[in-house]
Amino acid sequence: MKKAITVVLIFCLALVFTACSTGNEETKYSGGEIAGKDLTGSGGPRIFSASPIAMPGGEGRITDAVKAGDRFFICSEENSKNCFYFMGADLNVTKADITLGSTVISIDADHDGEIYILSMEQDGAYVLTQVSPDMEISSRELEFLGGLEDAVWDMCVGPQGYYIETFNNVLCYDFAGNYVGELGPFQGAFDIIRNGPELLLTVYGEDYTEFNILSGFEIQDSYKVLMKLSGISAGTQDGHVFAVNSGIVCDLDFTTGNYTGYSNSYASGEVGKFIYLTQEAYLSIVNGELMYYTLAEQQENNEIQTLVLATYAHEDYEISDLLNAVSLFNEANADIRIDVVNYGIYDAGNPEGTGLQKLY
């Protein structure tokens, strides 16, 4: 089976050979460029291999994980209950002595390691559980959320109060529960990302992504990057984030639009929630499992052959079956990996685009 797929892909590769190259992981791209424009993906040969993190609870589904100071805080759904774990830099996981009998809406942690768990009781009351780095646990009802018409999707705790994400808005409250204002409404997707000491309000447009640096409950600076990004997570320094662009995880400087390829996510496997560890390792939640990714070249002695498959679709969901098949193939093979480059991204929202010409 592997041989047959390899032959087909080599044939596909030959059709577009003049546009193909192995790429250079050190190449930098300016804002507005599409990862994979030369059939390389800006991650080039950087392929990572995944292995699951063993959880003490055994059966369970990881729903979220956040960096809390020098360790990680993990939420797992087990037998219709929420269980919590800590993981150190050595990747050893221990169960946290935290018990909640309610529905967990979101977990959050600040730069100093303080943990915040927003949950909803059976009577509809919103409760915030706070866990200090020394494991001092306190809970209190957020009564000011009881009168909201819209359901609460997420919450972020800032230095001056709470940012509450609802269906199309971010509502701001001080620590006394007084309403301060709103940051929306928004027509599309949005999120608040904790990026070191900074809080970023990220707005996802049809053909752009906007990064807003928050100062208190006001937008201090705003940057628009002409790329359709997903999977955005904290970067290694101010002004930087990691984001997925056309299947490539990029280290993006959103203040300039410049980015460098970090990982080829199609060839490495599906990337869900991305948590940077080092230049050669990261964590991700994929299908309910916490996965540890390391450079494949360091794990395997045999040389990895990368085959490039060019395709065309305006949205990745239109080729979801293909991407799933590629992901399964890559997981099952250590010596051959498939890199998918979607030229339809060029023409998203623009039927007169150049994607097909570039593909040809």
Side-chain angles (χ1 to χ4, degrees), residues 198-245:
E198 288 184 337
L199 293 180
L200 299 176
L201 168 62
T202 306
V203 180
Y204 304 89
E206 184 174 339
D207 57 357
Y208 69 88
T209 307
E210 186 175 89
F211 295 90
N212 303 282
I213 299 177
L214 298 178
S215 176
F217 298 117
E218 302 289 337
I219 294 176
Q220 176 179 325
D221 294 299
S222 183
Y223 302 90
K224 181 178 288 188
V225 178
L226 299 180
M227 291 185 287
K228 192 172 183 178
L229 303 172
S230 62
I232 299 174
S233 60
T236 56
Q237 55 185 305
D238 290 350
H240 283 245
V241 294
F242 283 92
V244 179
N245 175 32

Side-chain angles (χ1 to χ4, degrees), residues 54 82 88 101 103-104 146 162 164 188 191 197 206 219 258 262 286 291 295:
N82 293 292
T103 302
V104 173
Y162 309 104
I164 306 297
D191 197 10
E206 184 174 339
I219 294 176
N258 295 331
Y262 176 85
V286 180
M291 307 296 290
L295 274 177

Side-chain angles (χ1 to χ4, degrees), residues 35-248:
K37 68 184 180 68
D38 295 320
L39 269 183
T40 64
S42 62
R46 286 178 61 93
I47 300 174
F48 289 68
S49 291
S51 56
I53 298 291
M55 302 297 295
E59 293 288 331
R61 180 177 178 82
I62 305 299
T63 57
D64 205 354
V66 294
K67 196 172 189 305
D70 58 357
R71 57 183 177 173
F72 301 91
F73 184 63
I74 303 165
C75 180
S76 174
E77 187 178 273
E78 302 171 8
N79 299 319
S80 301
K81 294 182 180 180
N82 293 292
C83 298
F84 303 94
Y85 299 88
F86 286 109
M87 184 174 71
D90 57 1
L91 303 184
N92 285 327
V93 181
T94 57
K95 191 166 185 178
D97 188 17
I98 302 173
T99 302
L100 292 179
S102 50
T103 302
V104 173
I105 296 174
S106 69
I107 65 173
D108 186 23
D110 62 25
H111 193 60
D112 298 323
E114 194 83 9
I115 294 166
Y116 310 93
I117 307 169
L118 180 64
S119 60
M120 176 183 283
E121 301 292 334
Q122 291 184 352
D123 61 1
Y126 291 97
V127 174
L128 176 64
T129 300
Q130 199 162 332
V131 184
S132 74
D134 297 328
M135 287 302 296
E136 295 180 357
I137 303 174
S138 61
S139 296
R140 64 184 182 278
E141 180 180 347
L142 301 182
E143 297 179 354
F144 58 91
L145 297 181
L148 293 183
E149 295 181 0
D150 293 334
V152 175
W153 294 97
D154 204 351
M155 182 190 73
C156 184
V157 180
Q160 297 181 11
Y162 309 104
Y163 299 85
I164 306 297
E165 296 182 31
T166 63
F167 178 71
N168 66 346
N169 215 330
V170 177
L171 307 178
C172 304
Y173 296 85
D174 63 21
F175 285 122
N178 299 313
Y179 174 73
V180 177
E182 60 186 42
L183 298 176
F186 306 101
Q187 297 299 318
F190 62 94
D191 197 10
I192 291 183
I193 298 165
R194 192 180 296 278
N195 194 29
E198 288 184 337
L199 293 180
L200 299 176
L201 168 62
T202 306
V203 180
Y204 304 89
E206 184 174 339
D207 57 357
Y208 69 88
T209 307
E210 186 175 89
F211 295 90
N212 303 282
I213 299 177
L214 298 178
S215 176
F217 298 117
E218 302 289 337
I219 294 176
Q220 176 179 325
D221 294 299
S222 183
Y223 302 90
K224 181 178 288 188
V225 178
L226 299 180
M227 291 185 287
K228 192 172 183 178
L229 303 172
S230 62
I232 299 174
S233 60
T236 56
Q237 55 185 305
D238 290 350
H240 283 245
V241 294
F242 283 92
V244 179
N245 175 32
S246 190
I248 304 298

Side-chain angles (χ1 to χ4, degrees), residues 317-331:
Y317 71 81
E318 297 173 351
I319 53 173
S320 60
D321 289 343
L322 170 66
L323 298 181
N324 288 336
V326 168
S327 178
L328 290 173
F329 179 88
N330 288 337
E331 290 176 2

